[in-house]
Amino acid sequence: TCTNDYMELSIPEDQLTDINLSNLHWEPDRSCVATTNGTHFLFRTDLYGCGTQVAFDARYVTFLNTIDILGVHKTTGIITREGDIRITSICKYERQEWVDSTFLPIPG
């Protein structure tokens, strides 16, 4: 979900198995952790928070952030990345321009 103030991702808890709960956060800010409502993990950040990248072009303002979810890896001595998930969240807004002016009459 993208709003004027924040971006939010919702992932059903039953879709994430073998997950280390301490690794449910926005990247790169590990203090921006997921919350839960009992059925979904909720990832929410202000548009300018939690390491969100912002890009401006002539037509759009784009906000991008990433969630890296690390699976629980068995301690078999083999390094593996199986089970890890990377989710990219993008909110794209069309730019609007406002022109505001004030004038005072010229005395005379």
Side-chain angles (χ1 to χ4, degrees):
T1 302
C2 297
T3 73
N4 289 335
D5 300 314
Y6 63 86
M7 67 172 68
E8 182 177 68
L9 289 172
S10 173
I11 303 172
E13 289 183 14
D14 62 358
Q15 296 296 310
L16 296 179
T17 59
D18 295 327
I19 297 299
N20 183 339
L21 296 178
S22 66
N23 286 319
L24 294 174
H25 56 79
W26 292 100
E27 290 290 339
D29 191 340
R30 293 183 180 270
S31 67
C32 295
V33 297
T35 60
T36 182
N37 64 7
T39 60
H40 290 77
F41 293 112
L42 305 172
F43 297 84
R44 181 174 173 166
T45 180
D46 293 338
L47 292 178
Y48 290 95
C50 296
T52 301
Q53 299 172 22
V54 184
F56 298 89
D57 66 25
R59 188 164 179 182
Y60 295 100
V61 178
T62 305
F63 297 87
L64 180 140
N65 207 328
T66 303
I67 297 169
D68 284 335
I69 301 171
L70 303 179
V72 175
H73 301 286
K74 309 295 184 219
T75 56
T76 60
I78 300 172
I79 298 173
T80 176
R81 285 284 152 232
E82 184 179 349
D84 293 351
I85 301 166
R86 172 169 277 186
I87 300 170
T88 300
S89 176
I90 298 173
C91 292
K92 194 171 193 176
Y93 301 90
E94 192 164 8
R95 293 181 75 158
Q96 298 177 354
E97 294 183 35
W98 289 279
V99 176
D100 186 17
S101 65
T102 305
F103 69 92
L104 297 173
I106 299 173

